[in-house]
Amino acid sequence: MKDRITQRTRFSLWGYFWFFVQVVFVASLSILVYEFIEQKSGGNALVRALVTMANILGMTGICTAIDYVRRKFMVERPVKKILQATQSIACGDFTVRVKPFHAWGKYDEYDVIAENLNLMAEELSKNEVLRSDFVANVSHEMKTPLAILQNYVAALSAEKDENKRAEYCGAIVSECKRLTRLITDVLKLSKLENQQIFPQKTEIDLGESLRKCLLTYLEKLEEKKIELVCNIDDVFAFSDESFLEIIFGNLLSNAVKFTPQGGKIAVTLKQKDGYAV
């Protein structure tokens, strides 16, 4: 950041210097032309006035042409590219990037704007990827209890045995609670991300919390014939159990998802040097 400020200061001083040189050149040339006309006109005031006016108009035209070219290449061109990039970002295209207009060491304000725009687009792109993954994962996690609920409801409607019906009703209640917890966790994550709530820390048994999370994945482990190796100690810590369950759930979900058929997952919890590992 310090280097950028130094470059911008140097560029500004350089611009002021060239503006000063142009003003001095125009003023000096106008005075010289006036002196030349006064000597050649033989005291004719009308000639001096007309030539002086022509000189002023000519110098003004030249300065205007120079400023037009300067603005065309140094102002309008970078502004046009920046506006095109911001319009693309506003439309949801976060892959757009603006190449700096000058080499490093000769940056001006437009180059700094271009770099900041690129950083913003990159961060927005990362957030969009995270949002898409989050929506996909939540949708996937919600499908499982909904599918189970649908199956149990269908079985319940056709079942005549009261014991079986009671069993199915218990399973339906369990899956409803699971779905409610999932939705609650999503809302908690959203509020936590927006800094609207803070974890409520209490002393919890990490081992017991981890075992509960493992039980919810036994069915998926059996489907993929994955071997589960557990070495979990009773480790106590001060934290928010609901948020830890989200963390454990994400880790276990990824482990099951990316472990091949017939693979092995090892879950270990130990206490080492006062920390839970």
Side-chain angles (χ1 to χ4, degrees):
M1 180 60 71
K2 185 177 180 181
D3 292 340
R4 291 182 180 179
I5 294 174
T6 303
Q7 291 171 14
R8 289 159 64 184
T9 303
R10 189 185 304 123
F11 182 85
S12 298
L13 292 175
W14 190 250
Y16 292 142
F17 171 75
W18 275 112
F19 179 77
F20 173 77
V21 169
Q22 291 174 14
V23 171
V24 170
F25 173 76
V26 171
S28 300
L29 186 60
S30 298
I31 293 171
L32 290 174
V33 170
Y34 181 81
E35 292 292 337
F36 178 77
I37 294 169
E38 189 174 18
Q39 292 177 6
K40 296 295 185 180
S41 63
N44 192 326
L46 179 61
V47 173
R48 288 202 306 269
L50 291 174
V51 175
T52 301
M53 182 180 292
N55 175 56
I56 292 173
L57 291 174
M59 296 303 298
T60 304
I62 292 173
C63 292
T64 302
I66 293 173
D67 185 66
Y68 172 79
V69 174
R70 180 191 68 81
R71 288 183 59 84
K72 195 72 175 176
F73 289 95
M74 298 181 66
V75 178
E76 292 182 10
R77 185 171 65 93
V79 167
K80 185 177 180 181
K81 289 186 177 181
I82 291 171
L83 288 176
Q84 289 175 346
T86 54
Q87 185 176 4
S88 298
I89 292 175
C91 293
D93 181 10
F94 303 130
T95 61
V96 64
R97 297 292 184 271
V98 180
K99 185 178 179 181
F101 309 100
H102 301 91
W104 177 258
K106 298 181 180 179
Y107 272 18
D108 62 4
E109 283 78 2
Y110 294 113
D111 296 297
V112 176
I113 291 174
E115 280 208 339
N116 290 339
L117 193 67
N118 292 339
L119 289 174
M120 180 183 69
E122 185 176 352
E123 290 300 319
L124 288 172
S125 178
K126 292 178 181 178
N127 291 336
E128 179 65 18
V129 171
L130 290 174
R131 187 192 66 81
S132 300
D133 290 344
F134 178 75
V135 172
N137 290 333
V138 169
S139 301
H140 175 74
E141 292 297 327
M142 285 186 174
K143 281 181 180 179
T144 302
L146 287 174
I148 294 174
L149 283 172
Q150 184 178 0
N151 293 335
Y152 274 119
V153 169
L156 183 64
S157 62
E159 184 61 53
K160 302 298 183 182
D161 185 85
E162 289 298 326
N163 292 330
K164 285 288 185 180
R165 290 175 65 86
E167 180 183 345
Y168 293 160
C169 288
I172 290 172
V173 171
S174 176
E175 290 302 319
C176 286
K177 289 180 179 179
R178 178 183 172 188
L179 189 59
T180 302
R181 284 198 305 270
L182 180 61
I183 295 173
T184 302
D185 291 343
V186 171
L187 294 175
K188 282 184 177 180
L189 280 175
S190 177
K191 291 181 178 179
L192 184 64
E193 187 180 50
N194 295 322
Q195 299 181 351
Q196 294 178 358
I197 60 171
F198 297 93
Q200 300 296 323
K201 295 184 179 180
T202 57
E203 186 179 26
I204 59 173
D205 186 346
L206 295 180
E208 183 64 22
S209 179
L210 185 55
R211 293 186 193 99
K212 289 180 181 178
C213 288
L214 281 169
L215 289 175
T216 62
Y217 287 90
L218 290 180
E219 185 178 348
K220 293 182 179 179
L221 292 169
E222 291 176 0
E223 288 178 2
K224 296 185 69 175
K225 294 182 172 48
I226 295 175
E227 179 186 357
L228 180 63
V229 180
C230 294
N231 189 3
I232 301 173
D233 292 346
D234 291 327
V235 180
F236 292 87
F238 282 92
S239 185
D240 190 307
E241 186 172 12
S242 61
F243 289 117
L244 280 176
E245 287 177 355
I246 296 174
I247 295 172
F248 293 154
N250 287 338
L251 292 173
L252 293 170
S253 176
N254 287 333
V256 174
K257 181 179 179 180
F258 295 106
T259 300
Q261 190 84 8
K264 181 169 70 173
I265 294 176
V267 181
T268 304
L269 175 65
K270 297 288 182 181
Q271 185 170 349
K272 183 177 181 182
D273 299 329
Y275 292 94
V277 181

